[in-house]
Amino acid sequence: MALLIDILRNPQATLQLDEAAWDLLIRQARHANLLGRLHHELAQRQLLAPALERARHHMLSAATMAERQHLSVRHEARLLRDTLAGLGLPLILLKGAAYVVSGLPAERGRVFADLDILVPKARLQEVESALMLQGWVGSPLDDYDQRYYRQWMHELPAMEHMRRGTALDVHHSILPPTSRLHPDPAALLAASVELPGWPGVCTLSPCDMVLHSATHLFHEGEPDNLLRDLSDLDLLLRHFGSDPSFWPTLVERAEQLQLSLPLRLALRYASEILATPVPRATLDAIGAAHSRRPGQKVLDFVYRRMLAPKHSSAADWATPWCQRLLYVRSHWLRMPPHLLAYHLAHKALWPSREPAVEGEQPR
C-alpha cells in the first residue's frame, strides 16, 4: 500500500517518518492532488508541528492555493446564481464546487479545474444563451465533437469565461443518455436542497451527492484524480454517515436511481483502502463485501492499482495496463457497442486537433 494511503488511514504515523519518508509522502500527495488536504488532516490532529519543516511549507502552500480557489468558486457561484435567477432557475452545484460552497468536510484542501452545475435539459439552450451573454464561451470544437456533446453526452462542451478564465461544465444529467445506467435527472433536481445562507443556490441531496461522487469515480473518473475522488467519498460518507438512518436510505436511493453498481464499488474500495467506517449491514445489503461476482477479481486487480497516487513509487508493471483497461471500461459503460465502434473509428480516422481542456478526460 502506498505511503500516502497509510497516512490517510492513520495520520498519527507521520510521527515516525524520517526525512526520506517525508519527501516521498509530499511527492505522492502532490501527484494525487491531495497535498492541501493532507495539511488539513494533520492540522486537525495537531500533527503539523512535529512534521519536517520543509514538508510543512509544501503542505501550507498547497492548502493556501486551495483556499484561493475556494474564494474564486464562491464568487463565481454568486454570479452564476444571478444569471440563472433571470431564467427562474436555481443554481445547482455539483462535485467540488458543491463541497466548497456548502462547507462540507470534503472541501478541505480540495482543488479542481472547473465548476460543475446541473440544469434541466429542457432549459439547456436558454441557459447556454444566458451564460454567453455574461461572457462564457464554449470550447472550439469541430462539427463532430459538437454533435458528440449535444446528442450523446450529459453536458455541454466545456465553457470558459472570457475575462476571468474560469472553466464551467453545464450538465443536464450525471451520466450520458447513451450509458448503460440511467439515473433520472428529474429525480435529482426534485431532491436538490437549498443551502442555508445562499438563497437560490442548491446542491444535490446528501444521498444523491454521494451517489454522484461514486458514479463519477467508477464510471468515468479522471485517472489523475481517482484517489482524490475516493478521499472525497470517504469524507462525505464519514460526515453524512454519522446519522445511522443515512445508510439504509443511501442503499434505497441507489436502487431507485439505478446506481447500485457504482455505490457497491465505492463502499467496497472506500472501506478497504481508506478504512471508511461503513456498517457491515450496508456492505452486505449492497453486496460490497462479496468478491465472487463476475469480473470482480479483475476490477480489484485494476482499482487496487489505480486508486493509488499517480507516482512511480506507487506503480508496478501492471499499472499502465490497468490505466488502459480503465479507459476502455469507461467508454464501454458510456456507449452501446455500435455507437462506441462508430465513435472510435471516427476518432481514429479524424482525430481532434483541438487542445484538451485541463482536467478533461480524453474522449
Side-chain angles (χ1 to χ4, degrees):
M1 191 172 289
L3 176 60
L4 174 60
I5 294 176
D6 290 337
I7 297 304
L8 290 175
R9 288 169 61 99
N10 178 26
Q12 290 286 340
T14 54
L15 296 173
Q16 279 73 53
L17 298 184
D18 58 18
E19 185 172 348
W22 269 112
D23 179 74
L24 177 60
L25 176 61
I26 295 301
R27 292 176 187 274
Q28 288 187 355
R30 191 184 304 281
H31 278 76
N33 283 324
L34 284 171
L35 193 53
R37 181 162 294 171
L38 182 61
H39 176 274
H40 283 272
E41 293 300 314
L42 297 184
Q44 189 178 34
R45 296 167 175 81
Q46 287 79 48
L47 293 171
L48 277 179
L52 188 71
E53 183 179 8
R54 292 198 303 275
R56 288 202 308 271
H57 292 165
H58 283 290
M59 291 186 288
L60 177 59
S61 176
T64 302
M65 183 184 72
E67 185 54 39
R68 176 68 179 176
Q69 278 194 337
H70 295 181
L71 290 172
S72 175
V73 165
R74 295 185 187 101
H75 177 64
E76 293 291 352
R78 294 184 185 95
L79 297 177
L80 288 168
R81 173 190 60 189
D82 294 344
T83 299
L84 295 187
L87 302 177
L89 292 173
L91 171 65
I92 302 179
L93 297 170
L94 300 175
K95 297 191 294 187
Y99 310 155
V100 168
V101 177
S102 58
L104 289 169
E107 76 159 345
R108 298 172 189 160
R110 181 63 151 78
V111 294
F112 38 88
D114 50 32
L115 281 81
D116 296 85
I117 66 173
L118 180 68
V119 302
K121 186 175 184 179
R123 308 292 299 278
L124 202 56
Q125 187 173 354
E126 293 176 73
V127 170
E128 185 177 18
S129 297
L131 289 170
M132 292 175 69
L133 288 174
Q134 295 299 319
W136 295 93
V137 294
S139 301
L141 302 175
D142 60 26
D143 291 342
Y144 176 83
D145 283 342
Q146 285 285 349
R147 184 162 68 94
Y148 170 87
Y149 272 102
R150 297 177 186 277
Q151 183 173 333
W152 297 336
M153 288 295 102
H154 55 304
E155 59 187 338
L156 292 174
M159 304 186 80
E160 182 176 321
H161 199 273
M162 294 172 60
R163 296 186 300 277
R164 299 189 296 275
T166 310
L168 175 68
D169 283 342
V170 180
H171 297 251
H172 58 82
S173 182
I174 62 171
L175 281 178
T178 58
S179 69
R180 284 163 172 75
L181 304 178
H182 299 96
D184 182 6
L188 298 171
L189 292 166
S192 63
V193 293
E194 187 172 76
L195 296 177
W198 284 83
V201 179
C202 302
T203 67
L204 300 181
S205 70
C207 286
D208 291 353
M209 193 181 294
V210 168
L211 291 172
H212 182 210
S213 181
T215 301
H216 177 72
L217 172 54
F218 292 104
H219 196 279
E220 53 181 335
E222 302 161 7
D224 289 344
N225 289 321
L226 294 181
L227 181 58
R228 182 207 66 183
D229 292 347
L230 188 68
S231 176
D232 288 348
L233 267 168
D234 171 68
L235 292 173
L236 290 174
L237 290 169
R238 290 176 188 271
H239 178 71
F240 295 132
S242 60
D243 178 0
S245 67
F246 168 77
W247 298 103
T249 305
L250 177 64
V251 173
E252 181 181 356
R253 184 63 166 170
E255 293 172 353
Q256 292 172 355
L257 293 174
Q258 302 181 33
L259 296 177
S260 294
L261 172 60
L263 179 61
R264 176 170 64 82
L265 296 177
L267 299 185
R268 179 180 181 84
Y269 296 121
S271 59
E272 175 186 309
I273 295 173
L274 295 180
T276 308
V278 182
R280 181 70 195 195
T282 303
L283 292 173
D284 291 339
I286 202 72
H290 303 154
S291 59
R292 296 182 180 179
R293 291 175 176 270
Q296 186 59 60
K297 291 188 182 299
V298 175
L299 289 177
D300 287 345
F301 183 86
V302 171
Y303 276 115
R304 284 168 183 165
R305 286 164 175 79
M306 298 310 299
L307 291 169
K310 291 285 290 181
H311 188 263
S312 58
S313 64
D316 63 13
W317 65 271
T319 301
W321 295 101
C322 290
Q323 183 164 334
R324 293 185 181 96
L325 283 172
L326 212 58
Y327 178 79
V328 171
R329 179 179 183 268
S330 70
H331 277 74
W332 179 254
L333 293 174
R334 191 183 300 173
M335 294 179 172
H338 71 282
L339 190 56
L340 178 59
Y342 171 75
H343 176 66
L344 294 179
H346 187 281
K347 285 299 180 181
L349 294 172
W350 297 283
S352 175
R353 297 181 181 178
E354 304 298 339
V357 176
E358 182 184 359
E360 182 176 321
Q361 182 172 321
R363 297 187 299 278

